[in-house]
Amino acid sequence: MATWLWIVIVIVVVLIALTAAMAARRRRTMALRERFGPEYDRAVGAREDQRAAEADLRGRERERARLDIRPLSEAARLRYTEEWRVIQQGFVDQPEEATTAGYDLVNRVMAERGYPMRDFDARADLVSVDHPDVVENYRVAHGIHERARQHQASTEDLREALLRYRSLFEELLRPDGADGQAAAPDGQAAPTGQAVPEPRRPVSDPALDDRPVSGPPLSDRPVSDQPVSERPLSERPARSQQATDVEEQR
């Protein structure tokens, strides 16, 4: 066989190998984009190098695969749902304490499900594998929580943090195979993105409504920083019928 023919064969083989390698890389990139969504773009932007970012994301997948992440029992979901309802109602009068309680509750749920509770960045990376659509909410809420510890967060900041924590909380409470449904107190399913059903909440609490937690500012009506006793009557929380009946009996 002529030498030039061998050269052509080698060139063709090399081109085929390069094409196959490029196709395989495109498939890996598409798979990572599909799994991580907006977190893929964030990782690439943070690394400023696509290959390094993709290697980091694959490393997260491998570490997550080694963990035993367990779904919550039905009793645990109902218990945590009730705890969140109490925290949410308490935001009206004690926004900073309620936000801290929300942070602690999310951490307890994560620990019970089996996430390692070491440093925050590592925990957020693992969350990004299972919940890529809300992990940025988790990071933003954590940043606000850190500022709140230094008393540098406004009431509106705290409102945003609690709503963003809620988005991850609802994801963590989903039973396996729920297909976007979160458990509700009565055993029914509540649509993702909405607060779990509540029997009653103060009418003066515009903070914790059912709007999505991502995107621009979350409310046009700020929560008052004044104590309830000093607010105008129109802005005070509605009194329950039970409390009214008790006072009339005195």
Side-chain angles (χ1 to χ4, degrees):
M1 186 179 294
T3 302
W4 66 268
L5 189 56
W6 281 111
I7 294 174
V8 171
I9 293 174
V10 170
I11 292 174
V12 170
V13 170
V14 169
L15 289 176
I16 292 174
L18 288 174
T19 301
M22 293 176 63
R25 182 180 176 186
R26 283 196 296 270
R27 287 194 297 270
R28 289 195 298 269
T29 296
M30 291 177 61
L32 288 171
R33 282 184 179 277
E34 183 176 353
R35 173 153 196 177
F36 285 93
E39 183 68 8
Y40 178 91
D41 295 328
R42 180 187 181 278
V44 172
R47 292 276 186 161
E48 297 183 351
D49 179 86
Q50 185 178 12
R51 289 191 177 185
E54 291 184 355
D56 174 61
L57 294 174
R58 288 194 295 270
R60 298 184 198 181
E61 288 181 320
R62 288 191 296 270
E63 184 172 358
R64 166 62 182 83
R66 290 193 291 265
L67 299 175
D68 178 23
I69 303 299
R70 306 170 297 276
L72 296 172
S73 67
E74 182 65 17
R77 285 198 298 271
L78 296 179
R79 183 177 71 254
Y80 286 133
T81 295
E82 175 61 18
E83 286 189 47
W84 187 271
R85 186 187 66 81
V86 173
I87 290 170
Q88 189 164 284
Q89 289 186 333
F91 183 89
V92 178
D93 297 322
Q94 297 179 310
E96 189 167 324
E97 291 81 354
T99 304
T100 298
Y103 165 80
D104 292 338
L105 179 55
V106 168
N107 284 344
R108 283 195 285 122
V109 173
M110 292 180 69
E112 183 167 339
R113 291 207 58 183
Y115 287 94
M117 304 304 290
R118 49 182 187 270
D119 66 280
F120 173 79
D121 290 335
R123 188 161 68 247
D125 285 348
L126 289 173
V127 168
S128 73
V129 180
D130 292 327
H131 309 289
D133 293 332
V134 298
V135 65
E136 189 60 20
N137 283 337
Y138 185 42
R139 292 191 182 102
V140 172
H142 181 74
I144 295 173
H145 173 72
E146 290 298 302
R147 296 203 309 272
R149 294 175 62 182
Q150 306 298 323
H151 304 289
Q152 296 176 354
S154 67
T155 301
E156 185 64 24
D157 292 335
L158 296 171
R159 182 207 325 277
E160 180 176 356
L162 192 59
L163 286 170
R164 289 181 183 270
Y165 276 136
R166 187 181 73 185
S167 70
L168 176 59
F169 176 78
E170 290 177 346
E171 291 281 321
L172 293 170
L173 257 63
R174 288 180 183 175
D176 283 357
D179 191 22
Q181 299 297 312
D186 58 359
Q188 301 298 317
T192 300
Q194 298 182 4
V196 288
E198 301 173 8
R200 182 179 303 198
R201 67 183 177 201
V203 297
S204 64
D205 180 10
L208 303 171
D209 57 19
D210 295 337
R211 284 176 286 179
V213 298
S214 58
L218 298 163
S219 176
D220 295 328
R221 297 178 57 193
V223 175
S224 173
D225 290 322
Q226 299 177 353
V228 175
S229 61
E230 297 179 9
R231 298 179 194 170
L233 290 175
S234 61
E235 298 182 6
R236 297 183 184 179
R239 300 177 62 188
S240 66
Q241 185 62 44
Q242 181 180 4
T244 302
D245 294 342
V246 169
E247 184 168 309
E248 289 177 353
Q249 294 173 4
R250 292 180 178 175

